[in-house]
Amino acid sequence: MRAVGIVAEYNPFHTGHAWHIAQTRRRLGGERAIVCAMSGHWVQRGECALTDKWRRAELALRGGADLVLELPTLWACASAEAFARGAVEVLAGTGVVDTLSFGSESGELESLRAAADCLNREEYHREVRRLAGTGMAFPAARQAAAAALLEEQGRPDGADCLARPNDNLGIEYLRFLPAGWEAMTVQRQGVAHDGGAAEGFASASHLRQLLRAGEGGAAEPFLTQPWQGNLADGARCERLVLDRLRTMEEGDWALLPDSGAREGLPERLVRCGRAAGTVEEFLTLAKTRRYTHARLRRMVTWAFLGLTARDRPVHVPYLRVLGFNDRGRALLAEMKEKATLPILTKPAHARALSPEGRALFALESRCTDRFGLCLEAVPPCGEEWRHSPVVLRETEYSVIP
């Protein structure tokens, strides 16, 4: 069975996500299975997901996905490059996915490919290092370096896509696409990445704000299912996080990804941690043109979760199944013969992993326990070991048109 992969957070799953899946099926054929690599309990912007990963996987299955695999926290809550690399490794590890479908603002695959090829050139990396050495923020240095190279190729506006969130992630996916894979992009509809609502679509950030404010009725027209389930909110852990920031030393900060140890960032973060009265104040004090809000927020989340850069393996060591339907079940049977990574359909399977895999699963369990602190009713520790995948029968789901 041929399968197409989609990388997502589904935080929450909404009409735009369903439209992406439906468009993917229309263009590639309804017989293709849809495999999603989905972030778990902690997401790329450096915060907890709106609700638990099993509920989000269920909503994805009801919205047209066939199999949902987890992108572990160490890649899910990371820079665009690490996020994309990990997600593509998850999809490639299945042995059955041969196409990637992703959303973008531009909808222009060839322009995104050109930018991806540019970012893989050594001349680009040399120029980024030079510009960053002048104090330029990494995103700006990245775009300037790419713009110069693409202009030489007759694409004077070729780097503009790097400033658009979905285009930017799409470029990173294309950089790590395995040889022989196909790719397609579906143009984003309605509103911008962090916009409000328009034309039957709403941004995920807008929906999170509505749901956390208790305005489920306003969010419902843009959701594929009536909202149910616990709502997680990082604000419930505010003082725990602040305590961690206040007690960290330079050496602790230096152990985190993108720590800026060579640039003196850890020293600055220690001072900001001692001075701040809230997490947002810490981010405001620490942010500069060079150190972006998103980068700092991810560092705060890693600090709270007790993770370090050395905890992240070079490659994703296993495939954690979060949910599947009937077609997904058939795909899993095929994956038993073709997958290049161990498949965990039950938590107990983690005990048979390599030492590296077992260590990662233990870290994921700890991240899930910390996620529980963001819920109104805090569950006992060990949720990661008690949850089997969500299973939907044919009568329980339908592809959203």
Side-chain angles (χ1 to χ4, degrees):
M1 184 187 308
R2 296 189 68 189
V4 56
I6 291 175
V7 182
E9 291 186 333
Y10 295 151
N11 186 36
F13 191 89
H14 55 63
T15 53
H17 297 133
W19 190 83
H20 176 208
I21 291 175
Q23 289 297 309
T24 299
R25 277 218 161 91
R26 286 195 183 101
R27 287 165 58 177
L28 296 180
E31 74 284 354
R32 292 280 194 105
I34 301 288
V35 179
C36 296
M38 189 189 80
S39 303
H41 287 135
W42 300 91
V43 297
Q44 206 219 353
R45 64 179 60 213
E47 62 185 28
C48 66
L50 185 67
T51 193
D52 72 79
K53 57 191 177 186
W54 297 284
R55 175 59 178 158
R56 286 163 39 238
E58 179 185 351
L59 292 171
L61 294 170
R62 293 186 184 278
D66 297 307
L67 173 64
V68 181
L69 305 173
E70 181 176 15
L71 176 60
T73 297
L74 292 169
W75 288 271
C77 186
S79 67
E81 180 178 344
F83 178 94
R85 180 189 287 113
V88 171
E89 284 191 4
V90 167
L91 296 172
T94 66
V96 296
V97 173
D98 60 10
T99 304
L100 180 71
S101 174
F102 60 91
S104 66
E105 289 89 356
S106 67
E108 299 175 1
L109 183 62
E110 290 314 307
S111 296
L112 301 178
R113 280 191 186 278
D117 290 342
C118 172
L119 266 59
N120 280 335
R121 292 169 59 183
E122 181 55 35
E123 308 97 288
Y124 158 80
H125 292 287
R126 282 200 302 267
E127 183 64 4
V128 169
R129 289 192 293 269
R130 185 188 72 78
L131 293 172
T134 68
M136 186 180 289
F138 176 75
R142 183 171 178 263
Q143 188 162 351
L149 291 174
L150 288 166
E151 188 169 7
E152 292 176 1
Q153 300 173 17
R155 294 177 177 269
D157 301 321
D160 291 354
C161 50
L162 290 169
R164 297 187 288 263
N166 295 115
D167 277 353
N168 183 45
L169 264 180
I171 289 165
E172 294 293 348
Y173 299 146
L174 292 171
R175 288 182 64 195
F176 301 110
L177 209 64
W181 275 34
E182 299 174 5
M184 64 167 284
T185 187
V186 177
Q187 190 168 24
R188 187 182 180 96
Q189 300 295 303
V191 295
H193 182 73
D194 282 322
E199 303 173 14
F201 298 97
S203 70
S205 59
H206 180 62
L207 294 174
R208 288 193 296 273
Q209 290 172 0
L210 291 175
L211 291 167
R212 283 176 173 148
E215 299 178 27
E220 191 166 334
F222 309 103
L223 301 173
T224 58
Q225 297 280 328
W227 183 259
Q228 295 178 343
N230 289 327
L231 285 169
D233 192 337
R236 295 189 173 108
C237 297
E238 172 85 11
R239 296 202 173 192
L240 290 174
V241 176
L242 192 60
D243 175 70
R244 177 64 178 144
L245 300 181
R246 289 184 166 196
T247 56
M248 289 181 71
E249 303 293 344
E250 287 183 40
D252 300 319
W253 286 111
L255 293 175
L256 303 180
D258 303 319
S259 66
R262 294 181 181 178
E263 306 155 7
L265 180 57
E267 181 182 358
R268 177 186 180 87
L269 296 181
V270 169
R271 292 198 309 269
C272 295
R274 303 289 194 269
T278 66
V279 174
E280 284 305 317
E281 184 181 1
F282 169 83
L283 295 169
T284 300
L285 292 172
K287 184 183 181 301
T288 67
R289 185 178 65 171
R290 189 168 188 174
Y291 309 131
T292 64
H293 191 281
R295 175 182 174 182
L296 293 167
R297 184 172 286 282
R298 284 193 293 269
M299 291 177 70
V300 167
T301 297
W302 277 59
F304 172 61
L305 295 176
L307 304 173
T308 68
R310 63 177 176 234
D311 289 326
R312 184 164 61 205
V314 176
H315 300 290
V316 176
Y318 59 76
L319 303 176
R320 176 75 191 275
V321 179
L322 296 179
F324 55 89
N325 59 20
D326 292 337
R327 179 151 46 178
R329 185 193 301 275
L331 199 64
L332 281 169
E334 189 173 341
M335 285 167 56
K336 288 182 179 179
E337 303 297 325
K338 297 181 177 180
T340 58
L341 292 174
I343 304 168
L344 309 185
T345 52
K346 296 179 180 179
H349 292 165
R351 296 189 175 94
L353 292 171
S354 66
E356 183 179 64
R358 291 198 302 273
L360 180 63
F361 192 89
L363 285 177
E364 200 65 54
S365 180
R366 189 170 76 199
C367 292
T368 293
D369 291 341
R370 294 280 168 86
F371 174 80
L373 299 176
C374 301
L375 299 172
E376 184 176 8
V378 178
C381 290
E383 285 290 285
E384 197 70 32
W385 291 96
R386 290 190 285 271
H387 271 276
S388 291
V390 175
V391 181
L392 262 63
R393 301 296 181 184
E394 188 173 358
T395 56
E396 297 180 281
Y397 65 91
S398 61
V399 176
I400 307 296

